[in-house]
Amino acid sequence: MGSMERTVVRCAEGHVFSTASFPLQQLGSGRIGPGRLIRCPRCARLRHAVPVAVAAELEQR
């Protein structure tokens, strides 16, 4: 089994974390957008999360 690619995401509460799975699924013929429901490790709740650019995140800090 190869190494898994990780995606850096930001949840609706603003927490930034990486995840091994961030599926880009489709509903019917159209995409549902870049966001997904994923369990945030910081607030331990299912939250809407979107991918973030790592370089842009580092510039904000």
Side-chain angles (χ1 to χ4, degrees):
M1 181 184 238
S3 63
M4 291 184 140
E5 186 176 325
R6 298 193 65 85
T7 304
V8 178
V9 297
R10 179 187 320 273
C11 83
E13 294 294 317
H15 303 134
V16 177
F17 57 96
S18 68
T19 180
S21 64
F22 197 75
L24 295 175
Q25 298 172 340
Q26 295 184 3
L27 287 179
S29 61
R31 293 189 74 82
I32 59 174
R36 299 290 175 264
L37 281 177
I38 192 166
R39 188 164 306 278
C40 175
R42 296 270 315 273
C43 54
R45 298 180 122 180
L46 276 179
R47 298 281 188 199
H48 182 261
V50 295
V52 296
V54 176
E57 181 61 32
L58 291 175
E59 288 176 7
Q60 289 181 353
R61 291 184 179 190

